[in-house]
Structure formats: structure tokens, C-alpha cells
């Protein structure tokens, strides 16, 4: 894995570890430390408060102690799934990997890496071949 800054909204940038080969359509799956997950949680909850819960997924970090040991539970909620056919998928407990890092949003949030000067490395667009004109249209 390599260190990189990532974003999924062109505004918020977070440090993460990414595996360059773990991509879907050019989007990466970033792995965040718990402090960064807490920042993402605060940012997503503020966005949901500003735009409405139907417009933004939220992340929550809940802390607790069991038998004297501190634990954190990371929860991701896709509010748009509630009330629909995918309501059972609306909440996910995000499990850390062996290094204690969390893959918030996975590929579904369309995270992309940033260059050294924080320029988005947006995945390349699919080159499309233009369709031939309809008979009543003239070619341009």
C-alpha cells in the first residue's frame, strides 16, 4: 500500500493508504486511520445536517469500554436506502483491517487519489464513438 491523499467530493481531502491495483473504474479503496475516520464522520454529519439526510451518507464513531479496554465501533449509514428496497443495506458496521484501518465507502463512494500538488487524478473517461446521424439530421 502507498500513502496518498484522497477525495470523493473535490472538497474534502484525507490521508489514506491505497493499494494501486485495488481499483474499480479508476476509483480507489482508501484505508483510513481512526483519527481520519473521526474527521470523515464529522464532515459527513455536517453535510447531512446542511443538505438533508437523503442527500448524504453519514459515518459515526461510537466509543465504549468493555472489561477495561477501549473500543471504537464505526458505522456507515446510507440514508437513501431507508424506506426502499435496499433498507436492509442502509447501515454497515465498518470493520478495521489487521492494521486498524477502515475502508470507509469502499469503491462505492468513488474515491480518487490526488497528485503531489493535490490535483485530482480523476479516472479517464471512456472514449465514445459518436453515433451516426439520424436520416433527418445532417452530419456535422
Amino acid at each position: 500500500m502507498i500513502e496518498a491523499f484522497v477525495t470523493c467530493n473535490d472538497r474534502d481531502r484525507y490521508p489514506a493508504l491505497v493499494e494501486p491495483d485495488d481499483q474499480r473504474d479508476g476509483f480507489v479503496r482508501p484505508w483510513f486511520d481512526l483519527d481520519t475516520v473521526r474527521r470523515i464522520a464529522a464532515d459527513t454529519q455536517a453535510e447531512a445536517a446542511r443538505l438533508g439526510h437523503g442527500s448524504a451518507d453519514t459515518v459515526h464513531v461510537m466509543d465504549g469500554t468493555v472489561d477495561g479496554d477501549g473500543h471504537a465501533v464505526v458505522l456507515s449509514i446510507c440514508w437513501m436506502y431507508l424506506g426502499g428496497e435496499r433498507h436492509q443495506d442502509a447501515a454497515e458496521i465498518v470493520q478495521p483491517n489487521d492494521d486498524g484501518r477502515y475502508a470507509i465507502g469502499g469503491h462505492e463512494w468513488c474515491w480518487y487519489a490526488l497528485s503531489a500538488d493535490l490535483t485530482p487524478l480523476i479516472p479517464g473517461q471512456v472514449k465514445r464513438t459518436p453515433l451516426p446521424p439520424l436520416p433527418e439530421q445532417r452530419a456535422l
Side-chain angles (χ1 to χ4, degrees):
M1 287 203 196
I2 61 169
E3 291 180 335
F5 278 95
V6 297
T7 186
C8 64
N9 64 10
D10 292 331
R11 183 185 62 240
D12 301 315
R13 295 174 173 95
Y14 305 102
L17 293 180
V18 296
E19 179 60 54
D21 294 333
D22 185 11
Q23 296 187 27
R24 183 183 300 160
D25 297 326
F27 296 109
V28 297
R29 179 193 322 261
W31 292 88
F32 303 102
D33 63 27
L34 188 56
D35 288 338
T36 304
V37 172
R38 291 182 194 283
R39 260 188 62 212
I40 294 169
D43 291 345
T44 58
Q45 291 173 46
E47 185 168 344
R50 186 174 59 253
L51 302 175
H53 284 87
S55 299
D57 293 356
T58 57
V59 175
H60 306 265
V61 179
M62 295 165 280
D63 295 295
T65 304
V66 177
D67 296 330
D69 293 326
H71 297 276
V73 175
V74 176
L75 182 66
S76 178
I77 301 175
C78 181
W79 293 91
M80 291 176 281
Y81 287 171
L82 292 172
E85 292 180 14
R86 295 191 62 188
H87 66 275
Q88 70 277 3
D89 298 325
E92 172 193 7
I93 296 175
V94 183
Q95 299 292 336
N97 66 8
D98 291 340
D99 297 323
R101 291 183 167 264
Y102 299 82
I104 302 298
H107 290 116
E108 289 76 28
W109 281 25
C110 299
W111 292 101
Y112 50 90
L114 300 168
S115 68
D117 65 353
L118 300 180
T119 303
L121 299 173
I122 299 173
Q125 298 294 318
V126 176
K127 188 151 185 126
R128 297 177 186 230
T129 305
L131 295 173
L134 296 172
E136 63 272 3
Q137 296 176 322
R138 68 181 170 88
L140 299 176

